[in-house]
Amino acid sequence: MGMGRPREFDAEVALDQAMEVFWRHGYEGATIAQLTEAMGINPPSLYACFGNKEGLLKAALDRYTKLRNVWMDGVVAAPTARDVAERMLMGIAEKQTDPANPPGCLLVQGGIATGTGSENVPFELAARRAQNEDQLRDRFVRAKAEGDLKPTSDPAALARYVSAVSVGMGVMASSGSDREALRQVADVAVQAVEMQSARG
Amino acid sequence: MGMGRPREFDAEVALDQAMEVFWRHGYEGATIAQLTEAMGINPPSLYACFGNKEGLLKAALDRYTKLRNVWMDGVVAAPTARDVAERMLMGIAEKQTDPANPPGCLLVQGGIATGTGSENVPFELAARRAQNEDQLRDRFVRAKAEGDLKPTSDPAALARYVSAVSVGMGVMASSGSDREALRQVADVAVQAVEMQSARG
DNA sequence: CCACATCTGTAGTGAACACTACAATTCTGG
DNA sequence: CCAGAATTGTAGTGTTCACTACAGATGTGG
């Protein structure tokens, strides 16, 4: 018994193309026709490989968050809570205005509100945003234990705050704000974290 | 020559219902069937009154921003830049988790990314968000002139920052964050503005 | 009371959507 | 080289979408 005809496309390359379409048009705004054209395949190949449109989105999100987590590991490796916030927000200002990608963040652009039948998508995106927030919170908990953050500081609140600013910057980027505008936002935002630092 | 059969529904009441549907499902996620049912009218009445789906959205946005502007006038009436930021962000924490409305902000939920043919919608929302930012900026310019904000402060950057935090809070609210979580974000965010205050 | 203008409900319209049936093709194992 | 398994391109499927034609209803001006 043979193993069948081999796939003629690279699933990861195709996923990158699909990711860009979802990033630019959102889950519901992206059509199968756009996706298959960008991926360079025909609908049956898409469905055989990813199940359905939502399965394709999840695969694209997995790939997106995987790359993002590598970056986040570098962010939380900064020596202080203040530097973590600065590295994160300044990095986001850069990434979200990188002309190599659509503006903004896939975890926001993917879909905040949806029609009936796609209610699952916003939850999926929110869950992945929450992962980043958790990682930040853990880092800030450590910073507090180390005496880097004030004893009165609230690491969870700080993490939520940095996460909220990131999302806000993503929306700004997608609606045309340039890199300098985002840097200014990041610069102001970092000062709030600085105020919670022991030597702030 | 007569004036024709009079309209049997109240356009403002119908708009409120349409606003809620757009708020919950976004522009593209809202269907004409959902809109007409919520408004209590049939499609021909909708099209006769508002032109098309996008015209209905614009009318709903006009109504939304009109109410919001009244509130914003109260916000910028606060005595200091810091109090303006606090009043705005704490008020947003409350409004975006008000069970009388869908969670979040219509100017975000309405549509960040869209499919082909609705590219105009995100611009429309961004333009209305920019109005609020401009109003904040003007208020912070005044605060700087009054010596309330430091001479080194950047009113435009501060306004952008507060606007970005507002948007981020809106996304958080729509993905399930409760009022207390938003209040914590607002509380941290205000501290950055406080640092730019002359007596901060 | 009649001509006319506008609204209302019913019942569709064509287009676009996500998804798939099917037959031809290309591989592996024996 | 042949049988079976998986992928491929073509060409659809039914459904849902925004939007509208039309006929009856309800008002105003003369």
Side-chain angles (χ1 to χ4, degrees), chain B residues 109-184:
Chain B
Q109 295 291 108
I112 300 298
T114 60
T116 313
S118 307
E119 296 90 347
N120 199 39
V121 170
F123 282 107
E124 195 74 35
L125 299 181
R128 293 168 193 266
R129 290 195 302 267
Q131 286 178 13
N132 283 349
E133 187 183 311
D134 289 345
Q135 196 171 358
L136 271 181
R137 189 202 54 211
D138 292 346
R139 178 63 183 84
F140 288 155
V141 165
R142 198 188 95 196
K144 185 175 177 180
E146 290 172 343
D148 169 27
L149 284 172
K150 288 180 183 170
T152 56
S153 64
D154 182 344
L158 274 181
R160 254 197 287 272
Y161 163 75
V162 172
S163 187
V165 174
S166 306
V167 170
M169 289 170 67
V171 174
M172 286 179 57
S174 81
S175 53
S177 291
D178 63 15
R179 185 168 291 182
E180 188 50 30
L182 295 189
R183 281 211 193 99
Q184 288 179 354

Side-chain angles (χ1 to χ4, degrees), chain A residues 57-114:
Chain A
L57 175 73
K58 284 183 184 167
L61 289 177
D62 283 341
R63 188 158 168 74
Y64 183 82
T65 51
K66 191 175 155 192
L67 297 173
R68 191 187 173 95
N69 285 344
V70 172
W71 177 73
M72 274 298 290
D73 289 342
V75 166
V76 297
T80 66
R82 185 217 169 271
D83 289 341
V84 167
E86 181 177 42
R87 199 178 283 190
M88 169 137 176
L89 296 175
M90 282 298 175
I92 282 181
E94 201 136 335
K95 287 157 69 79
Q96 290 182 342
T97 55
D98 182 347
N101 296 322
C105 169
L106 175 60
L107 301 187
V108 175
Q109 295 290 109
I112 299 300
T114 60

Side-chain angles (χ1 to χ4, degrees), chain A residues 158-200:
Chain A
L158 273 181
R160 253 197 288 271
Y161 163 76
V162 172
S163 187
V165 173
S166 305
V167 170
M169 289 171 67
V171 173
M172 286 180 58
S174 81
S175 54
S177 291
D178 63 14
R179 184 167 292 181
E180 188 50 31
L182 295 189
R183 281 212 192 99
Q184 288 179 354
V185 170
D187 188 62
V188 176
V190 167
Q191 297 182 25
V193 179
E194 203 161 355
M195 268 199 89
Q196 296 301 317
S197 294
R199 59 184 70 241

